[in-house]
Amino acid sequence: MADALAVYARLISAQVRSQLQYRVSFALDLAGTFLISFLDFIAVLIIFDNVPELDGWTLHEVAFLYASTCVSFAVVDVVIGHLDLFPRMIREGTFDLILVRPRGTLFQVIASDFAMRKLGKVLQGVIVFVFALGGLEVDWTAGRAAMTLVMVLAGAAIFAAVWVAGATIAFWTVDGGEFTNAFTYGGNFMTQYPISIYGEWVRRFLAYLIPMAFVCYFPSLYILDKPDPLGLPRALQFASPVVAVAAAVVAGVIWRSAVRRYRSVGS
Amino acid sequence: MSAAIELEDVRKRFVVRAKRGRLRRERRVVDAVAGITLAVEEGELLGYLGPNGAGKSTTIKMLTGILVPTSGRVRVARLDPARRRIELTRRIGVVFGQRVQLWWDLPLRDSFDLLRHVYRVPDQRYRENLERFSALLDLEPFLETPVRQLSLGQRVRGELTAALLHDPEVVFLDEPTIGLDVVAKQRVREFLVELNRERGVTVVLTTHDLGDIERLCSRLVVIDHGRVIWDGAIEELKRLYGRERTLVVDLEEPEPPLEVPGGRVVRVEGPRQWLRFRGDEVSAAHLTAAVAARTRLVDLAIEETDIEEIVRRIYRGGADA
């Protein structure tokens, strides 16, 4: 494990050095993602310019939900967002090179890139988070503070699991990128708002099928001390870490069986 | 001596789905490898060739653990590649001619350093190997150059080194000299001979280049349609086919097939005639002179027997085909 982390650090630092070879393009990318990601939040501001509350949520509460989802997602996007390009690895045969090296396949795919330019998104999330904290009236107990950290970590794990599971579609279709995007980027977009604003079937889909509601919504109910408009069991508000572990295990199993299938049927 | 590679009645079956008409899809079963049995001794330099689609890369993929065979028994460096892929990766080295495994934007040396950690090569061993390969392949002048700026020949030398730093017992090289100029090709060939001699590394080489095979391999396996159609010493193959060349002559006007000692007309098209002859028995100059003595010659060309042609003839079954 320690050795794997050390190798990961080396591979990523190689990626970082590669990207820094093109300094201007890197700086522009970074500034670009930083600014563009604010457009998302401007949409939230526009909504609240028209209504004082969204389904009982104030601007700062939605900003809190938005920002924590955003940080979870952006961190994952930086670390494994290149799984979007996984279909190309299959098509061009680069995945074969991964199979002849003495490390796990998923490990190598993840360690093959690191999108520093997307750090702009993380930064944007952090700024909105600070903005949200400034306007919240929350009694910050140790429990709530710890829950906030757990929420972001568990959220990241859930996003990562969905991303990995989605990427395996490439083993079947060679090109399933867009389909996967609907779940990753789409899931991120939808969970930036309280899920109670959606119709019932969307809600069920988000809550249980791809467990996006556990990313930040349920824990936020606890942290912000809000009543659950859907009247679901209170235990759900603490279930995110469990859901995250389960999602990671499921994604791992899907990945393994997909690799096994690739090795038996070819591409 | 024990076998570095063993295949026993190995098969690989693919299901191919092809579109037929608007909605109908046809499901077709293809035996890419249809029962190959083969043993390669340790330290052997094996040429593995066949036309495109013959099952070459499918075999290599099964030997390197990328693909799992449908049936049959495979052992490489005493391991079953299908079950013990990660263990196997430490005992084999692979170069796919068309795929870059080096880090494109970084100096060549960085790629080696990263692979050292991926493979956990001990420091001392890494230094020794890098020093030795640098000397053999003359890497020193471009070790600090980003890979994207290397010439193809330099990059291939880098790829070879990258595949060998972890002291593999068996090395698979897929078209390693493709696209290289004569000098670069020569350098790679000399390196492979040295590697094989010095370290006893078993080498499996797939190539379309007859020169590679002639200079490097002691044994040749030819496959077609997923089956071995030739397996034997390179000398034997040369004796049968390799020395054959073809003299193409353009005469002033159409004539009946020429009769020249040492040459045999295999084709006539108007004033053009193809004479096949054995390069080890008759020289091209001698044959040309003989033709010129009999009739008026306008133009001429010499065709070497290429590997595709040899395979075609082996497949038809006989030197005279």
Side-chain angles (χ1 to χ4, degrees), chain B residues 139-154:
Chain B
L139 303 175
E140 203 61 50
F142 52 89
L143 265 180
E144 311 303 331
T145 310
V147 172
R148 65 167 190 278
Q149 291 173 12
L150 299 180
S151 70
L152 179 61
Q154 292 171 331

Side-chain angles (χ1 to χ4, degrees), chain B residues 73-224:
Chain B
R73 180 174 174 276
V74 182
R75 288 290 177 277
V76 175
R78 304 166 301 286
L79 294 174
D80 177 355
R83 288 165 180 279
R84 296 164 83 179
R85 179 183 72 80
I86 292 202
E87 245 177 295
L88 181 75
T89 58
R90 297 184 181 284
R91 301 192 193 174
I92 62 171
V94 185
V95 175
F96 293 115
Q98 315 274 32
R99 281 169 226 164
V100 185
Q101 57 174 331
L102 303 167
W103 277 256
W104 196 243
D105 286 315
L106 295 179
L108 186 56
R109 189 192 288 279
D110 290 24
S111 286
F112 298 156
D113 192 54
L114 287 167
L115 288 169
R116 154 165 80 127
H117 289 102
V118 168
Y119 282 91
R120 291 198 204 100
V121 183
D123 285 7
Q124 172 72 16
R125 191 64 195 147
Y126 170 75
R127 270 195 300 275
E128 285 167 7
N129 278 344
L130 187 54
E131 203 173 299
R132 185 73 189 121
F133 296 138
S134 286
L136 286 173
L137 287 165
D138 196 19
L139 303 175
E140 203 61 50
F142 52 89
L143 265 180
E144 311 303 331
T145 310
V147 172
R148 65 167 190 278
Q149 291 173 12
L150 299 180
S151 70
L152 179 61
Q154 292 171 331
R155 210 177 71 208
V156 169
R157 284 185 265 161
E159 293 276 354
L160 283 168
T161 306
L164 295 165
L165 284 170
H166 59 286
D167 287 313
E169 298 169 34
V170 184
V171 180
F172 298 92
L173 307 172
D174 185 21
E175 306 268 1
T177 61
I178 196 163
L180 297 186
D181 63 45
V182 184
V183 180
K185 245 180 213 178
Q186 187 52 29
R187 175 162 245 152
V188 168
R189 286 171 184 162
E190 279 166 11
F191 172 72
L192 292 177
V193 169
E194 187 60 27
L195 177 82
N196 175 254
R197 197 187 56 79
E198 186 179 291
R199 307 190 169 209
V201 173
T202 310
V203 180
V204 175
L205 182 75
T206 71
T207 180
H208 278 98
D209 191 314
L210 194 54
D212 283 349
I213 300 284
E214 276 193 294
R215 286 188 185 76
L216 295 174
C217 305
S218 46
R219 177 177 162 206
L220 185 66
V221 170
V222 182
I223 67 162
D224 199 13

Side-chain angles (χ1 to χ4, degrees), chain A residues 60 63-64 126-138 140 148 223-224:
Chain A
H60 288 90
F64 177 81
V126 170
I127 290 172
V128 176
F129 192 78
V130 171
F131 162 81
L133 289 186
L136 284 177
E137 285 166 21
V138 171
W140 283 106
T148 306
I223 296 164
L224 302 175

Side-chain angles (χ1 to χ4, degrees), chain B residues 200-274:
Chain B
V201 173
T202 310
V203 180
V204 175
L205 182 75
T206 71
T207 180
H208 278 98
D209 191 314
L210 194 54
D212 283 349
I213 300 284
E214 276 193 294
R215 286 188 185 76
L216 295 174
C217 305
S218 46
R219 177 177 162 206
L220 185 66
V221 170
V222 182
I223 67 162
D224 199 13
H225 299 295
R227 288 194 171 82
V228 175
I229 58 172
W230 167 276
D231 181 355
I234 193 95
E235 289 307 321
E236 175 72 2
L237 187 83
K238 271 196 220 165
R239 199 178 59 71
L240 285 174
Y241 314 95
R243 289 291 179 221
E244 287 203 335
R245 311 171 83 189
T246 307
L247 177 70
V248 186
V249 290
D250 283 354
L251 312 176
E252 271 198 342
E253 28 191 83
E255 281 182 40
L258 295 164
E259 281 183 27
V260 189
R264 178 165 59 88
V265 175
V266 290
R267 193 170 153 202
V268 180
E269 243 175 51
R272 181 172 291 183
Q273 302 201 2
W274 281 259

